[in-house]
Amino acid sequence: MGVSQVLRIHYTFAMELRELEVAFARVRESGIAYGESPFARNNMRITMGDRGQGKAVYFDDPDAHLLEIKHYWPSTAVVGMCGREVG
C-alpha cells in the first residue's frame, strides 16, 4: 500500500477540563498547528464544540491522522458504546 493509499483516521480523546488544558498547552508549546474543526485545523483557534457542549481542538499527528482533544461540560455528558457516561 503506497502513502497515498493509507487511510487517514480521526481519533477523539475525551478528557477532564484540566487534562485538556495541559494537553493543549503542550500542543501550543510544540508549535503544532491546531484549529477549531476538522476542516479548519490550522486557524489556531479552539472551539466550544460542534453543539456548544464543551471545548475541543483539532490537529494532525506526524502520520497525518486527525486528532481531537475534547472536554464535555458535565450537563452534556454523552453515553459511550458500553452504556457508561463519558465526560
Side-chain angles (χ1 to χ4, degrees):
M1 185 178 282
V3 173
S4 63
Q5 298 171 331
V6 174
L7 293 176
R8 181 183 172 121
I9 300 173
H10 177 179
Y11 295 97
T12 302
F13 299 91
M15 53 189 68
E16 297 295 326
L17 183 58
R18 180 70 183 130
E19 293 172 315
L20 179 129
E21 290 169 347
V22 169
F24 182 49
R26 291 183 67 188
V27 168
R28 284 193 326 260
E29 290 165 5
S30 297
I32 297 170
Y34 61 88
E36 62 188 342
S37 83
F39 309 103
R41 293 184 310 279
N42 299 312
N43 66 4
M44 308 306 267
R45 292 158 68 184
I46 192 167
T47 185
M48 298 306 288
D50 61 350
R51 294 181 193 95
Q53 76 268 30
K55 288 177 121 178
V57 66
Y58 300 80
F59 53 96
D60 291 324
D61 79 355
D63 293 320
H65 296 297
L66 175 61
L67 303 182
E68 175 184 2
I69 54 175
K70 173 171 210 100
H71 168 72
Y72 291 98
W73 301 130
S75 64
T76 58
V78 296
V79 175
M81 291 176 59
C82 297
R84 292 182 294 225
E85 191 174 271
V86 177

